[in-house]
Amino acid sequence: MSQQMRTTGPIAVFGATGRQGGAVVDALLDRQAPVRALVRDPQSDRAQALAARGVDLAAVRTDDPASMAAALTEVEAFSFMTPEANSLDEVETEIRIGTALVDAAVAARVPHVVFNSVFGADQESGVPHHDSKHTIEERLRACGLRATMVRSAPFMEEMAPKLEHGEIVLRVPMPEDVALKMVSVRDVGRVAAALLLGTAEAPGGAVELVGDELTGPQIAAAFGAHAGLPARYEALPLSVLPSELDREMFRQFATMGEVPSDLAVARAIEPATLDLAGWIRATGWTVPANGTGS
Ligand SMILES: NC(=O)c1ccc[n+]([C@@H]2O[C@H](COP(=O)([O-])OP(=O)(O)OC[C@H]3O[C@@H](n4cnc5c(N)ncnc54)[C@H](OP(=O)(O)O)[C@@H]3O)[C@@H](O)[C@H]2O)c1
């Protein structure tokens, strides 16, 4: 559904060629807001696809303040995420990129900055690629700009059930009695867009974004119900994960059931926030012919 455009300058989006930033752009364009995508390579296929939809492209290097200053000139608001980190070196890079983005926003006096962070990043958790976001949040909070954190639970898009002998099988390294919080990337974009456009506010300057909260067997059952097939869940050991960072993250997920989440928070901003069953329907998820679903 479109809403009246309320901005005067463009909304700058860093990460627009990726999943979260792409969803932010989708939601902003749905609302007829002008968008400026900050990209490393304006000639890339993904950047050109954005340009074809009317998105203004600005070439940036986060280690080049002049490029950032030009890209953030007279923007109404700025949305950013930080790239995935799979090693401690990449965590350092993530913090460096996030810090540079905050500093550039300060230099350009951006009226409102929305950071796509991660669930629980209001505190340190011991998960390196979540604590990096906590560090960036702290810098953003202290910088003096109006800032809002969108702290997303794990994405529903990460679920990859398989079809095995006529049965849907979901395997995740999580105990079967722990509820996993989750949200769709689409709704991360919609919530961020509402905050960027000022059609919604986040009390306290942060939103803990959860669209659903289900145990492994319940997740498997949701896919099975959609497929009309029996379904089962298999809890894997953490040792299947090659990255220590991910092992630490899943250790934390196993305790996340104790952390309260409020499913009404996302729906107060985006009433159509999807639960898992809704996401399965909305994405047209189909039973995988062989292997994982799509
Ligand atoms: N997966 C989950 O369940 C989940 C949940 C919550 C939070 N997160 C967090 O979400 C973040 C990833 O978001 P995403 O999935 O939207 O990312 P993504 O799809 O991999 O997109 C990465 C974006 O960052 C841009 N970018 C700029 N500089 C980069 C660099 N040096 N290295 C890599 N990319 C760079 C890329 O643009 P160009 O290449 O065009 O320049 C691209 O638009 C991670 O920080 C992750 O921790 C993930």
Side-chain angles (χ1 to χ4, degrees):
M1 187 176 67
S2 298
Q3 295 178 8
Q4 190 67 31
M5 187 180 77
R6 298 180 60 161
T7 57
T8 50
I11 309 290
V13 180
F14 179 87
T17 55
R19 288 195 297 178
Q20 293 193 64
V24 174
V25 172
D26 290 347
L28 289 170
L29 293 180
D30 278 352
R31 292 158 177 76
Q32 283 104 47
V35 179
R36 182 179 298 161
L38 279 52
V39 297
R40 287 183 293 181
D41 178 8
Q43 298 309 321
S44 73
D45 290 349
R46 288 182 175 200
Q48 285 297 311
L50 292 172
R53 295 165 68 201
V55 172
D56 180 28
L57 300 180
V60 296
R61 292 275 155 194
T62 53
D63 58 0
D64 173 9
S67 72
M68 291 298 306
L72 292 178
T73 301
E74 291 178 5
V75 300
E76 187 70 15
F78 177 35
S79 161
F80 78 96
M81 45 66 70
T82 47
E84 190 79 43
N86 293 304
S87 67
L88 292 178
D89 279 353
E90 288 179 2
V91 167
E92 291 305 314
T93 301
E94 180 185 10
I95 293 172
R96 197 165 56 246
I97 289 173
T99 301
L101 292 168
V102 172
D103 292 353
V106 172
R109 297 197 176 92
V110 173
H112 185 197
V113 181
V114 175
F115 173 39
N116 283 16
S117 182
V118 72
F119 188 91
D122 54 324
Q123 297 172 19
E124 287 195 345
S125 64
V127 179
H129 53 308
H130 290 186
D131 289 348
S132 51
K133 294 171 180 65
H134 175 70
T135 301
I136 296 162
E137 283 200 10
E138 291 214 310
R139 189 166 186 107
L140 188 51
R141 281 242 183 274
C143 80
L145 296 179
R146 180 172 167 230
T148 307
M149 321 300 164
V150 176
R151 300 194 186 114
S152 302
F155 300 149
M156 291 175 182
E157 283 75 3
E158 302 288 346
M159 297 296 150
K162 295 182 175 180
L163 177 65
E164 290 179 8
H165 311 296
E167 188 181 40
I168 298 291
V169 183
L170 180 71
R171 296 185 179 89
V172 180
M174 287 259 302
E176 66 172 28
D177 57 346
V178 171
L180 181 69
K181 303 178 203 306
M182 60 190 101
V183 68
S184 76
V185 174
R186 183 201 82 171
D187 292 330
V188 176
R190 288 186 175 193
V191 166
L195 297 167
L196 289 158
L197 295 173
T199 57
E201 293 282 329
V207 187
E208 304 281 341
L209 205 55
V210 181
D212 211 340
E213 193 169 16
L214 298 170
T215 63
Q218 290 170 328
I219 297 169
F223 283 101
H226 181 79
L229 291 170
R232 72 182 164 87
Y233 177 72
E234 212 177 292
L236 297 175
L238 286 174
S239 57
V240 300
L241 295 167
S243 153
E244 176 52 29
L245 272 64
D246 284 342
R247 288 195 289 274
E248 199 53 59
M249 182 175 73
F250 273 91
R251 268 183 215 112
Q252 193 223 4
F253 286 169
T255 65
M256 256 169 72
E258 297 157 16
V259 181
S261 59
D262 184 352
L263 274 66
V265 170
R267 289 181 176 89
I269 297 174
E270 170 50 58
T273 293
L274 297 165
D275 59 12
L276 182 66
W279 176 83
I280 291 170
R281 279 194 305 275
T283 55
W285 180 86
T286 53
V287 183
N290 197 6
T292 56
S294 58

